[in-house]
Amino acid sequence: MRYALVPILLLCVALTTVGVGVFTLLERNREAQWHQFAVERQAQLDEATRGVAETLEDVAEDLRFAGELMSQPGTLAEHRREMRALLEAVGQYKVLIAYDASGKEWLRMLDRRLGKQVARAPVLAQMAEAGRRALLRPPGDVTLSPPMEDGGFDSLRVMATALPVDEQGRPEGAVAVLVDTTSFFTPLRIVTSDPDARLLLLGTYGQPTSASDPTLADWFRRLETEGSWVPGFMALAARMREGERGALPLRAEEAERLGLGRSEAIAVFTPIRVRGGSHWAAATLVSTATLRSHQQALIWRLMAAALLVALFLVTFAVYVVLAQRRAAALRESRQHADQLAHLQDKTQKILDHIPSGVLALTVDGRISAVNQVLRERMPPDAIGAPLETAFPQAPAPVVSRIRALVAAAVSESRAHGILGETLVLFGEEGRFNLHAVPLEARHPEVHTLLVVEDLSNVRALETQLLRAEKLATVGVLAAGIAHEIGTPLGVVRGRAEYVLGKLGKEHPQGPGVAVIIEQIDRVSRTLRQLLDFSRLQPTAVRPVPLSSLLHDVQELLRMEVERRGVRFEVTVPQTLPPLAADPDQLQQVLVNLALNACHACGEGGQVTLTAAVPEAEPWGLVALTLRDDGCGIPRKHLNQVFDPFFTTKKRGQGTGLGLTMVAHVVRNHGGRLELESEEGRGTCVTVLWPIAKPSAEERYVG
């Protein structure tokens, strides 16, 4: 009996040893799994918040860039164009406002899609407050507003920064932008897509945002009165407000109150830094119910294996090996999923930043995805709709041609294209390249790509190059014509005058000879204009009083005005500063423009010449505006009126060089021309001419 007990005792010792070893192993495995679980969740959160931080940094860079643009000299219209380009380039920007050094608004731009809807008094007041606070901080620092709780726009935030400082070291102003942050925190929502995970996102003012889980946000607001019920969550909130990073365990009863189920939970948190010192804070609270159930199942299996001794020990060993392989496979699958998500995000960013529009079509011809370039020009409900929905303003023949292009590419399994043709795709006529590219039929959601290249800018560059070639040709022709034709014409005119003198005006051939002399004079005038155009050089300028020069222009045109029955009015303030100009060339510019205006008016027409200093003109220019109520210029000719030899007058009434010489003279003096015209309603030409700089003595006296 005593010897019989030895094997039993040995068995008990063995079982006890195995049990102790098993439970020790389980405890260590449990701690390791919990630690690994927390590390993986922390890594996921860090990756997601890194993307959010990069997006916020992009907004800060846009603000800094906008501030530099605002601080540069330029007209209000130029600043509006620059800010409009920035507002349309970034879809999340809804309102952009610039303030001067005193905090007064001087430029406001609204997003055409949503700007007017959100630009109400409370929003504008918060933007103004953010702009004033930005003036108190160094340029480059970003000032954020509280969330827009009025009107259901909780996702909107105001971000502002100061403009570069002036010579006294004070900011010249501030620029504020109303940003829709909905898409900023998409990576965080992806991280918390697990049903066992919850997101808590605190804004820069330490309050939960709309992206937070409603239950967590509600407990956060009740912490002051009921914080003792959730001490771990209260500690988490305090550390998030301090901008710390780390992980905290939560007890089962506390996790249940927070809506995470009856199991322990882990909270990982990290800050999202914003340039200037402020920060957002993100935390994910994840239940360990799945992990705990897995561990309990493992314990029951190991207990059964211990009772069956060797057989179940072997089974347990096999199970452990399989479990480890399964865990490794799961980790590898998770890494592959993360890599695929990263690649998808990277691909989307690349597509959004290429200058051409890209549109993906499904097998049945519906739109499945578009990049940023086309998204801004398409209706918001185009995703999932047929192809024609992407071009609602295009005529039916154009849409049919695009469908035929896609069908041909799919049927022949090769790319088809329409190159450099003039089409109406988005309401206005333009030149486009269209490419239909079929893909491998592995994914029905992305079966065909339609690439849209807008060649309007290329067309504008071609026009400028053609104009430059014309100008170069004019110079060569002018020199050659003046040399080869001028002298023979002088000889012919002299002989014709001699013949007319011999015959007398009463001779039957006298009028014919007079016509010869008149036509030779006309050709000579054209030659002089060509020669003057080709010899046009930068001239030495001097201060020219504008009032006396305009009086001379009015006298020169008096006979022509009376002959045509046109009213010609000149309005010049006496306080205008002198202009930096060659007086003869400035007079030539004004006379040419005034003559063109008189020729465009019928009898009883009105021509007005005014001069003023624009309020929003920081470049020291005077605006000379010549307005008429004549026939106007057709839209198709607006870009050609300053080209050499282009004229709308009848044959023999103009050479097409007058406005070309005007443009050259203005450019040589450092000015610029602006032209507005509407057919049948008149024309307005504005010459912006530099003001003469005061002499050294005048600057000293002033």
Side-chain angles (χ1 to χ4, degrees):
M1 184 69 180
R2 184 171 49 185
Y3 292 104
L5 292 176
V6 173
I8 297 175
L9 291 175
L10 290 176
L11 180 58
C12 292
V13 171
L15 290 175
T16 304
T17 303
V18 171
V20 172
V22 167
F23 281 103
T24 302
L25 179 63
L26 285 176
E27 187 62 26
R28 291 180 180 178
N29 188 46
R30 177 177 178 274
E31 293 177 357
Q33 286 185 345
W34 278 56
H35 177 72
Q36 181 66 22
F37 186 77
V39 169
E40 290 175 355
R41 288 294 177 172
Q42 185 73 62
Q44 291 179 357
L45 182 61
D46 289 344
E47 181 65 22
T49 55
R50 190 177 299 114
V52 177
E54 290 175 357
T55 304
L56 293 174
E57 182 64 22
D58 290 343
V59 178
E61 281 297 318
D62 288 345
L63 281 173
R64 182 189 63 78
F65 178 66
E68 291 178 355
L69 289 178
M70 290 296 181
S71 64
Q72 296 297 322
T75 64
L76 180 61
E78 290 174 343
H79 287 314
R80 283 184 178 277
R81 285 194 298 270
E82 294 166 348
M83 293 304 102
R84 173 61 64 187
L86 176 60
L87 200 64
E88 292 180 351
V90 184
Q92 290 84 358
Y93 299 169
K94 304 306 175 187
V95 183
L96 191 148
I97 302 179
Y99 304 92
D100 59 17
S102 63
K104 182 179 179 182
E105 175 183 330
W106 66 275
L107 175 62
R108 182 192 302 176
M109 301 296 295
L110 303 179
D111 179 28
R112 296 169 181 166
R113 293 161 294 185
L114 194 59
K116 293 183 179 179
Q117 183 179 354
V118 301
R120 303 193 303 274
V123 175
L124 298 180
Q126 286 208 27
M127 295 188 71
E129 177 60 23
R132 286 191 290 272
R133 287 192 287 114
L135 289 172
L136 303 177
R137 303 180 66 179
D141 284 1
V142 177
T143 301
L144 289 95
S145 73
M148 302 291 176
E149 299 179 354
D150 176 64
F153 296 101
D154 179 68
S155 61
L156 298 180
R157 295 289 190 282
V158 178
M159 302 180 72
T161 188
L163 301 183
V165 298
D166 56 16
E167 296 178 357
Q168 288 77 27
R170 295 175 300 180
E172 297 178 349
V175 59
V177 63
L178 184 64
V179 184
D180 184 358
T181 61
T182 302
S183 62
F184 288 8
F185 304 105
T186 300
L188 295 177
R189 296 189 180 93
I190 295 175
V191 171
T192 55
S193 60
D194 188 342
D196 292 333
R198 301 289 186 271
L199 173 66
L200 177 63
L201 179 64
L202 303 185
T204 56
Y205 287 79
Q207 294 298 321
T209 69
S210 59
S212 300
D213 179 77
T215 303
L216 297 182
D218 181 62
W219 269 106
F220 187 95
R221 299 184 184 95
R222 293 156 51 191
L223 284 178
E224 292 184 2
T225 58
E226 302 179 32
S228 59
W229 290 90
V230 284
F233 185 72
M234 191 172 185
L236 170 66
R239 296 184 65 178
M240 290 177 67
R241 285 173 172 169
E242 293 298 326
E244 297 181 14
R245 175 183 178 275
L248 284 175
L250 299 177
R251 294 177 301 173
E253 57 271 23
E254 184 174 351
E256 185 176 18
R257 295 190 185 103
L258 295 174
L260 296 171
R262 184 66 179 179
S263 182
E264 294 86 357
I266 292 179
V268 292
F269 52 94
T270 188
I272 305 174
R273 305 293 180 185
V274 181
R275 185 183 299 183
S278 58
H279 71 275
W280 300 63
T284 57
L285 286 77
V286 187
S287 172
T288 62
T290 303
L291 185 63
R292 186 175 181 181
S293 63
H294 177 73
Q295 292 173 347
Q296 289 177 348
L298 184 60
I299 291 174
W300 284 108
R301 291 189 183 99
L302 290 176
M303 290 178 63
L307 295 174
L308 296 176
V309 195
L311 179 61
F312 285 101
L313 286 176
V314 172
T315 305
F316 171 74
V318 173
Y319 174 79
V320 169
V321 172
L322 294 177
Q324 290 178 347
R325 291 182 178 179
R326 187 181 300 117
L330 288 175
R331 286 194 295 270
E332 186 176 356
S333 298
R334 185 178 298 168
Q335 291 176 355
H336 289 167
D338 292 341
Q339 291 176 357
L340 288 175
H342 175 70
L343 289 176
Q344 182 180 2
D345 181 63
K346 188 175 182 179
T347 302
Q348 186 63 41
K349 287 183 178 179
I350 292 173
L351 287 174
D352 284 343
H353 286 83
I354 62 175
S356 301
V358 180
L359 182 147
L361 297 174
T362 61
V363 174
D364 58 353
R366 294 185 175 272
I367 302 170
S368 61
V370 294
N371 70 340
Q372 185 67 27
V373 174
L374 280 183
R375 193 179 302 119
E376 296 175 351
R377 307 178 76 172
M378 286 171 47
D381 56 349
I383 301 298
L387 176 60
E388 56 267 17
T389 309
F391 311 103
Q393 299 174 324
V398 174
V399 176
S400 299
R401 190 174 180 188
I402 296 175
R403 277 200 165 279
L405 177 70
V406 174
V410 173
S411 62
E412 299 179 15
S413 298
R414 64 182 182 89
H416 280 250
I418 299 174
L419 304 179
E421 294 199 15
T422 302
L423 302 171
V424 179
L425 294 182
F426 304 104
E428 295 183 357
E429 188 178 85
R431 289 184 62 191
F432 295 92
N433 284 344
L434 299 180
H435 304 277
V437 183
L439 303 179
E440 294 184 7
R442 295 182 179 178
H443 201 302
E445 290 297 316
V446 185
H447 187 258
T448 312
L449 293 182
L450 180 65
V451 182
V452 181
E453 297 180 79
D454 193 342
L455 303 179
S456 301
N457 292 334
V458 177
R459 179 63 176 173
L461 291 175
E462 291 176 352
T463 303
Q464 294 178 6
L465 181 59
L466 181 61
R467 182 175 295 174
E469 291 177 351
K470 286 184 179 179
L471 295 177
T473 304
V474 169
V476 175
L477 286 175
I481 291 174
H483 180 268
E484 299 295 335
I485 300 178
T487 302
L489 280 179
V491 175
V492 173
R493 189 183 189 285
R495 296 300 176 88
E497 286 183 341
Y498 176 78
V499 171
L500 182 62
K502 289 294 186 179
L503 296 178
K505 295 183 179 180
E506 293 79 11
H507 192 276
Q509 300 299 327
V513 177
V515 170
I516 293 174
I517 296 174
E518 179 182 346
Q519 293 302 312
I520 291 174
D521 289 341
R522 179 172 172 270
V523 174
S524 298
R525 286 194 299 272
T526 303
L527 286 175
R528 283 196 299 273
Q529 289 182 350
L530 283 169
L531 195 58
D532 291 342
F533 177 75
S534 65
R535 291 177 177 175
L536 191 60
Q537 299 293 333
T539 56
V541 299
R542 60 183 177 85
V544 177
L546 190 58
S547 58
S548 60
L549 187 140
L550 292 182
H551 181 268
D552 294 342
V553 171
Q554 196 172 16
E555 285 298 318
L556 287 173
L557 297 174
R558 184 169 56 83
M559 297 298 295
E560 181 70 14
V561 168
E562 292 177 355
R563 184 175 70 85
R564 290 184 173 274
V566 177
R567 296 192 304 276
F568 182 48
E569 297 181 0
V570 177
T571 304
V572 182
Q574 296 296 326
T575 57
L576 279 181
L579 303 184
D582 180 315
D584 294 335
Q585 291 189 11
L586 177 56
Q587 186 182 80
Q588 180 185 12
V589 167
L590 297 177
V591 168
N592 277 342
L593 293 176
L595 280 176
N596 280 353
C598 292
H599 293 167
C601 296
E603 186 174 357
Q606 175 79 29
V607 179
T608 306
L609 176 59
T610 60
V613 177
E615 295 181 0
E617 180 54 64
W619 293 95
L621 301 176
V622 168
L624 305 174
T625 304
L626 196 72
R627 189 184 303 273
D628 66 72
D629 57 359
C631 59
I633 303 172
R635 182 186 180 91
K636 63 181 180 179
H637 293 156
L638 280 176
N639 293 328
Q640 299 176 281
V641 295
F642 295 107
D643 289 348
F645 305 115
F646 178 81
T647 179
T648 58
K649 297 178 181 178
K650 296 180 180 179
R651 182 180 297 274
Q653 296 184 3
T655 62
L657 289 174
L659 289 180
T660 305
M661 295 186 66
V662 165
H664 272 259
V665 170
V666 172
R667 282 196 295 268
N668 281 359
H669 282 79
R672 66 177 187 269
L673 280 169
E674 295 179 357
L675 177 65
E676 297 178 9
S677 184
E678 185 175 350
E679 190 172 5
R681 302 189 64 178
T683 303
C684 177
V685 181
T686 301
V687 181
L688 296 169
W689 200 281
I691 296 173
K693 296 181 179 179
S695 63
E697 293 79 4
E698 292 174 336
R699 289 196 298 268
Y700 179 78
V701 172

